[in-house]
Amino acid sequence: MAVRTVLDAVRDRAGSVLPTRRVLATMGRSPRKDLVAGLTVAVVALPLALGFGISSGAGAEAGLATAVVAGALAAVFGGSDVQVSGPTGAMTVVLVPIVARYGTGGVLTVGLLAGAVLIALALLRAGRWMAYVPVPVVEGFTLGIAGVIALQQVSGALGVRKPGGDNPAVVAAQAARDFAAAPHWAAIGVALAVAAVMLVGVRLRPALPFSLIAVVAATVTAGLAGLPVATIGHVPAGLPAPSLDFLDPSAVPALLPSALAVAALAALESLMSATAADAMSVSERHDGDRELFGQGLANLAAPLFGGVAATGAIARTAVNVRSGAVSRLAALVHAAVLAVIVFAAAPLVAGIPLAALAGVLIATAVRMVQVGSLRALARSGRGEAAVLVLTAAATLAFDLVTAVAIGLLVSGALALAAVAKAARVERVPLHAGLPPADHHDEERALLAEHIVAYRIDGPLLFAAAHRFLLELTEGAEAKVVILRMSRVSAIDASGATVLGDAVARLRGRGTLVLVSGIRDEHHRPLDALGVLDRLRVDGHIFDSTPEAIAFARTHLPSRALSGGPSGASR
C-alpha cells in the first residue's frame, strides 16, 4: 500500500509538470508572428551558439547541438510560452573548468546528471524558490557573469592561444602578456570592429541582427584581405547519432558536485529568464515547475548529441518577445532554423574568425550590464549596494553558485538586521488600556505612578532580543509592569527566552509582572520553553490590558494607593 501511494504521488507530480493540451494548442494561435519571431531569434542565436560552444571548450558543434536539441525540447516541455533556451554565457563560465579538468566526456556527463537533478527539482515543486532570490543578488550575479564572459574572450580577441587556469582574470592577464611579447593586430582589430558594430548598431536600429551582420562582414573581409586570423575550422554537417559512449559510471561520484552546480545555475538562470519574459509580455505567466522539468529533459537529451548544458537565455528570450512571439512555436522555429544551418551550411560556418565571435561575446557582456539598474540599487541603500558588489566580486573570484550563496547569506543577514530594528518596546499611557470612566483623575494619576504598561511592537526574534532585554529591565522601576503583547508579530525561541529572562529579573526586584494580549500562535514557543509558566500558575496572564490593569489596581499595596511612604517617595 505504501509503495502504491508513493507511485501515485509521483504520477500526480509528473502529470502536473507535463504540457497540457491547452498549452500545446496555443501554438496554432498566430503562426505567422511566431514564424517571424523564430527566424529573428535564430539569426541572433547562431553566432552566440557558436561562440559559447567554443568558449566552453567543447567546440562550435557542441554549441549548435545544444541550441538545436535543448532549444526544441525546452520549447515544448518548458513552463514559458516565449522562453528560448540554449548555451549561455553564465553556463559557459561553469563549464570551462569542467572541460579543462575532465575533458569533453566529463562535461557531457555533467550535463546528463544536471538534467536528472532538474527533473527531480521539478517533481519537488522547487520552481517557486526563485521568488526568494533578492534583486541585488540577481543584479550582482549578472554583473559578475558579464565580467567573466568578457575576460574569457581576451585570448580570442588578442589572437593568442588560451592559457591554462581556472580563474578568468588570471587567464586574461596571461593572455595579455603573451600578446605583448609578440603583438599582432589583425585579431584584435576584427574583435573590436565586431563589438563596435553591435554596440553602435543596436542603438541606431535595434530591430536589425547586427551580431550576424558583423560576423558575416568580418568573415568576408578576413577572407578577401587574407588576414592572419584563426577560424572555427571544420564543423561536422548534421548532428551525430545519439550515444552514451561518453558516460563513465566510475567517474560519476567525482562529477556529481559539478553537476549539482550546473543544475543550480540552470534552474536559477532559466527561472530568471522566464520571470523577465513575464515582465515583458502582458499575457505571459510562466510555470516554474514545468520550466525546470523542460530544462531537465533538454539537459538529459543534449549530451546524447554532443551538446553541453543549456538554460533559458535571457537575451534570446527578450528578442523573441520583442519580435512578436505568441507561443512556443517561435522557439521551435528557432531550433529548426539552426538545425537547417547545421545540416546545410556547415562549410560556411567553418570560415568564421574566432576573433569575430570573441567580439560578439564581448559586446554581449557589455549589454548585460544595465547601468540604470545598478545606479538605482546603489542609491537605494548601502546594504543593497554591498550585496550587489559582493555577489559580483564572488562571481569573479570563485564560481557562480558560491557567489549566489554568499549573496543570499549577506542579504539574509541584512534582512534580519532590518527586522530587528523594526521591533521596539514602548512605554504607553495607562489610560490607553483603561476605560475612561473607571477612576477619578486623582486616582488615575496615582495608579499611573505605580503601574507601567509597555507595548511590544513587531517581531521579537533573536536579532532584537538582547536590545529588548536592556530596554525593558533598565527602564521599568514601577511596582507593577504590564507587558502588552498583542502587537508582537512573531516570536522565536531566542525571543521567548529573553522575554522569560526579563520577567525573571523584574520579579527578582519585587515587581509584579502581568502579561496581556498574547496571540494564539505565540503560545506554542512560549509554552514549549516554559518561560511564562510561573506567571500562568499565579494567574498573571490576561486576555486584555483592561483586565490586567484592574488586577494590578486591586493588588497594589494599600499604602501606595493611599499616598503613603511608597507613594510619596516617588
Side-chain angles (χ1 to χ4, degrees):
M1 182 64 69
V3 174
R4 180 176 297 177
T5 302
V6 171
L7 292 176
D8 289 342
V10 172
R11 184 187 59 193
D12 292 341
R13 291 284 179 91
S16 69
V17 296
L18 289 171
T20 63
R21 290 184 178 180
R22 183 189 62 80
V23 169
L24 296 178
T26 61
M27 291 194 291
R29 285 189 304 184
S30 186
R32 181 175 298 180
K33 287 184 178 180
D34 286 332
L35 179 62
V36 172
L39 287 170
T40 304
V41 177
V43 168
V44 173
L46 176 60
L48 293 175
L50 294 169
F52 288 136
I54 293 171
S55 184
S56 70
E61 61 273 17
L64 288 173
T66 304
V68 172
V69 178
L73 285 173
V76 175
F77 293 96
S80 170
D81 286 341
V82 293
Q83 174 97 290
V84 178
S85 300
T88 65
M91 187 59 72
T92 298
V93 172
V94 176
L95 297 181
V96 167
I98 298 174
V99 174
R101 184 173 301 176
Y102 300 106
T104 303
V107 82
L108 297 181
T109 302
V110 164
L112 194 72
L113 296 174
V117 173
L118 287 169
I119 290 176
L121 289 175
L123 296 177
L124 292 172
R125 297 178 181 173
R128 61 184 180 274
W129 294 349
M130 178 59 203
Y132 298 103
V133 180
V135 171
V137 175
V138 174
E139 292 292 343
F141 169 84
T142 305
L143 179 61
I145 289 172
V148 174
I149 292 172
L151 290 171
Q152 286 180 341
Q153 308 316 310
V154 169
S155 57
L158 297 178
V160 299
R161 182 183 294 274
K162 186 176 182 179
D166 292 338
N167 188 285
V170 174
V171 172
Q174 182 58 51
R177 286 193 290 268
D178 294 344
F179 174 81
H184 42 285
W185 303 100
I188 193 171
V190 169
L192 291 177
V194 169
V197 168
M198 285 183 61
L199 295 174
V200 174
V202 76
R203 289 182 174 272
L204 300 177
R205 299 290 297 274
L208 294 180
F210 279 100
S211 58
L212 186 63
I213 293 172
V215 168
V216 170
T219 303
V220 172
T221 301
L224 294 177
L227 297 179
V229 292
T231 62
I232 290 178
H234 175 68
V235 176
L239 296 175
S243 172
L244 278 172
D245 290 344
F246 62 85
L247 182 60
D248 180 6
S250 64
V252 168
L255 293 171
L256 191 56
S258 298
L260 293 175
V262 167
L265 176 59
L268 179 65
E269 190 174 10
S270 297
L271 294 175
M272 281 173 50
S273 178
T275 302
D278 290 350
M280 290 183 285
S281 177
V282 176
S283 61
E284 172 66 11
R285 288 296 177 270
H286 77 280
D287 184 314
D289 296 329
R290 283 181 179 168
E291 184 59 32
L292 292 179
F293 184 75
Q295 295 297 332
L297 288 181
N299 281 284
L300 274 177
L304 304 181
F305 296 89
V308 295
T311 71
I314 296 176
R316 276 157 275 179
T317 298
V319 171
N320 195 38
V321 174
R322 291 167 185 162
S323 299
V326 176
S327 74
R328 300 160 188 262
L329 182 60
L332 273 175
V333 170
H334 139 269
V337 171
L338 291 178
V340 170
I341 293 173
V342 169
F343 281 96
L348 298 178
V349 171
I352 297 176
L354 295 177
L357 295 180
V360 169
L361 299 187
I362 289 173
T364 300
V366 172
R367 292 179 60 188
M368 287 175 66
V369 180
Q370 301 294 324
V371 178
S373 297
L374 297 180
R375 286 177 178 172
L377 279 174
R379 290 195 298 265
S380 66
R382 293 181 180 179
E384 285 77 6
V387 171
L388 188 152
V389 172
L390 186 61
T391 304
T395 302
L396 290 169
F398 306 109
D399 58 74
L400 301 183
V401 176
T402 301
V404 171
I406 291 173
L408 289 174
L409 287 174
V410 176
S411 294
L414 292 175
L416 284 174
V419 167
K421 291 179 181 178
R424 64 182 186 273
V425 179
E426 180 182 4
R427 180 170 175 171
V428 294
L430 198 62
H431 61 76
L434 191 66
D438 278 8
H439 303 279
H440 299 296
D441 291 341
E442 183 179 353
E443 185 181 359
R444 183 186 298 278
L446 194 58
L447 283 170
E449 186 176 357
H450 296 280
I451 305 174
V452 176
Y454 286 92
R455 185 176 62 210
I456 307 171
D457 289 342
L460 188 55
L461 306 177
F462 73 90
H466 181 66
R467 179 167 55 85
F468 163 78
L469 177 64
L470 292 177
E471 290 181 11
L472 184 58
T473 56
E474 289 182 2
E477 297 180 355
K479 296 295 182 182
V480 180
V481 170
I482 300 174
L483 301 181
R484 301 176 60 180
M485 297 184 62
S486 61
R487 294 192 182 182
V488 175
S489 57
I491 186 168
D492 66 355
S494 298
T497 301
V498 169
L499 176 65
D501 290 343
V503 170
R505 289 193 186 189
L506 291 172
R507 287 168 62 92
R509 297 178 188 173
T511 302
L512 175 63
V513 180
L514 309 177
V515 178
S516 69
I518 300 176
R519 293 186 180 184
D520 292 340
E521 64 268 24
H522 298 159
H523 280 289
R524 181 175 180 179
L526 294 172
D527 293 343
L529 295 171
V531 297
L532 301 181
D533 286 354
R534 184 61 184 270
L535 293 181
R536 183 171 284 104
V537 170
D538 294 341
H540 293 169
I541 296 179
F542 302 89
D543 292 332
S544 67
T545 302
E547 292 177 291
I549 294 174
F551 180 90
R553 179 168 57 87
T554 59
H555 286 73
L556 274 175
S558 58
R559 58 178 179 171
L561 291 179
S562 62
S566 80
S569 66
R570 296 177 62 82

